[in-house]
Amino acid sequence: MKKNVCKVVVYVVALVLVMSLFAGCSSNESKEATSKNAVEQNNESNTQTEETGYKSITSTDKTCEISIPKSWSELEDINEDAIIQVASEQQDDCTIVISDSKTDFAETMTIEDYMNEVVGNLFEETSNIEKSDIKDVTINGQKAKQIEVTEEEDKIKTVYMITIVETDKNYYQVLTCTSPSRLKDNRDGLEKITNSFKEN
């Protein structure tokens, strides 16, 4: 378990949301260069489907992939431990994927235990949060758990859709971050990204 990874996502993504919602994109040239760099590095393993308007993004370690809208871009600076980092054109929605090998945990570790660890680490320094019930879902045939957490920090609310996918060898965190209003308007699209996750 990466103990400090998730909190980095909170601060970085929350900052991106604040900048996007209240100040706009402050550095388009830098953002475009970073995105172009990431796409070029992973270009051979990514495919685009004109019919659906989505493109497939393969993780940096080649173990998994997700499908995202063509207007979204790969990034490199959201979280250093993420194997997939993507964001919408204005960076007001973002999704990352983090993996943990089951060999790093006791054999008694369950997906429920892992979910509790992730949520606990993510919000360990935050008291102003609202959590939904954890629900069972299936992601491309794999057992998964999902929860939504709304955090309020500095009077700004951020919603995290956290999905834990269990495979034979790994636990995957598929974490989407957005604002409450955008989740309401774009829930289907954001869930489609999460549901597209598959292990290679």
Side-chain angles (χ1 to χ4, degrees), residues 12 72 74 149 153 170 190:
V12 173
W72 282 42
E74 290 184 84
V149 181
E153 189 166 345
N170 299 298
L190 296 174

Side-chain angles (χ1 to χ4, degrees), residues 5-164:
V5 168
C6 292
K7 202 60 187 178
V8 175
V9 177
V10 174
Y11 290 127
V12 173
V13 178
L15 178 60
V16 169
L17 285 169
V18 172
M19 292 173 66
S20 174
L21 291 171
F22 297 98
C25 299
S26 60
S27 182
N28 286 332
E29 291 183 1
S30 174
K31 193 167 56 182
E32 288 172 2
T34 300
S35 299
K36 183 178 179 182
N37 234 4
V39 172
E40 286 177 350
Q41 289 176 359
N42 211 21
N43 189 49
E44 291 183 1
S45 60
N46 294 341
T47 59
Q48 296 192 14
T49 307
E50 293 291 338
E51 294 79 8
T52 63
Y54 277 70
K55 57 187 177 182
S56 177
I57 301 297
T58 301
S59 63
T60 53
D61 62 359
K62 315 299 183 187
T63 61
C64 62
E65 62 183 78
I66 61 173
S67 294
I68 62 173
K70 288 183 181 179
S71 59
W72 282 42
S73 301
E74 290 184 84
L75 300 177
E76 297 179 320
D77 56 356
I78 300 177
N79 187 290
E80 64 180 8
D81 290 303
I83 55 176
I84 294 178
Q85 306 180 69
V86 293
S88 59
E89 189 172 7
Q90 299 301 320
Q91 294 193 4
D92 39 20
D93 303 318
C94 121
T95 296
I96 70 167
V97 177
I98 295 173
S99 67
D100 276 312
S101 172
K102 284 186 172 180
T103 59
D104 293 336
F105 304 100
E107 292 183 2
T108 54
M109 171 70 83
T110 66
I111 188 172
E112 291 84 0
D113 295 332
Y114 186 86
M115 168 67 88
N116 291 332
E117 284 288 326
V118 169
V119 174
N121 288 335
L122 182 56
F123 302 104
E124 63 183 351
E125 297 178 6
T126 305
S127 58
N128 196 0
I129 62 173
E130 297 176 6
K131 295 188 291 186
S132 71
D133 293 332
I134 297 175
K135 63 181 181 180
D136 295 320
V137 295
T138 301
I139 305 293
N140 274 315
Q142 302 290 349
K143 180 181 178 181
K145 298 277 187 181
Q146 193 171 82
I147 189 174
E148 289 179 18
V149 181
T150 300
E151 175 191 43
E152 182 177 329
E153 189 166 345
D154 297 328
K155 299 183 179 181
I156 301 296
K157 288 186 176 181
T158 306
V159 182
Y160 301 89
M161 184 188 300
I162 304 166
T163 305
I164 304 301

